[in-house]
Amino acid sequence: MTPRRRLTIRGGRVASVITIGRGIVSEAAGLLQSASGRFLMVSPPGAKTVADRLREVLSGRLLGDLSLDDREEAKTLETVARIADAALAAGIRRDDAMVAVGGGVTSDVTGFAAAILMRGIAWNAVPTTTAAMADAAIGGKTGVDHARGKNLLGAFHPPHAILVDPSVLETLPEREHRSGLVEAFKAAWIADP
């Protein structure tokens, strides 16, 4: 059994269960939450290793598997529409859930799509970057950018489950890892009056 730590964060009507531990992606079938047991997975090419592992673990339970860009330029309503189109084409129901596998943009757009699809369905986050682990996957701040500014369209829609596997960070470029640590430090600094 993988040593792990579980935390529960209450945000509105949803309590996010955060599970932290090396190798927990292999245990995802028992940790991700969906009332029906079915999922639509959204991931960028940069999270291929983790997404491939989840495909194995969730074999037979995936309604669909959508690949999208995880760069800030993809944080648009068009990307959210693409996720919604794929979900509806796959026959998603209210009791199904989404799984965002990737960095902050993937968490933001997948969470926002889940917030507005059928007036809100469950979603789960499997962050693969330091910034996503420290900020984007936690708290339920979902959304997209607008021509007038960053994160102007969105909703608070916390994920039901968040799987944080520190071993996935070992392949991150050092610059990206440090950038994510700055996000974590920033959150700690602003929390202290």
Side-chain angles (χ1 to χ4, degrees):
M1 178 128 222
T2 305
R4 60 184 178 201
R5 175 148 172 104
R6 292 193 91 168
L7 310 164
T8 302
I9 298 175
R10 291 225 171 265
R13 61 184 177 87
V14 174
S16 297
V17 177
I18 305 170
T19 307
I20 304 167
R22 292 178 95 55
I24 62 167
V25 170
S26 297
E27 301 172 33
L31 299 171
L32 297 175
Q33 296 183 27
S34 168
S36 69
R38 301 182 332 157
F39 301 92
L40 176 87
M41 187 166 69
V42 180
S43 65
K48 182 180 179 349
T49 304
V50 177
D52 284 348
R53 185 67 192 122
L54 279 174
R55 285 181 192 98
E56 290 174 27
V57 172
L58 297 175
S59 178
R61 297 175 62 190
L62 286 178
L63 289 168
D65 188 351
L66 180 64
S67 178
L68 60 79
D69 193 354
D70 199 23
R71 293 178 298 155
E72 193 68 26
E73 296 80 20
K75 205 168 159 183
T76 64
L77 285 174
E78 291 79 18
T79 301
V80 172
R82 193 169 150 229
I83 295 169
D85 289 344
L88 294 169
I92 202 160
R93 303 182 317 223
R94 247 319 272 111
D95 59 346
D96 295 329
M98 292 188 180
V99 180
V101 182
V105 170
T106 300
S107 292
D108 286 353
V109 298
T110 303
F112 187 46
I116 63 173
L117 193 63
M118 298 177 182
R119 297 186 178 162
I121 65 169
W123 73 288
N124 300 268
V126 182
T128 60
T129 65
T130 313
M133 288 178 183
D135 181 40
I138 298 170
K141 299 179 313 281
T142 69
V144 297
D145 298 338
H146 185 274
R148 293 185 179 258
K150 186 172 166 55
N151 296 321
L152 292 180
L153 304 173
F156 286 97
H157 189 61
H160 283 62
I162 304 165
L163 306 187
V164 177
D165 185 342
S167 66
V168 304
L169 300 177
E170 293 167 1
T171 60
L172 271 185
E174 185 64 23
R175 179 179 171 93
E176 192 171 332
H177 180 63
R178 288 176 185 254
S179 173
L181 289 176
V182 169
E183 287 296 320
F185 293 145
K186 178 183 79 174
W189 288 328
I190 63 174
D192 185 351

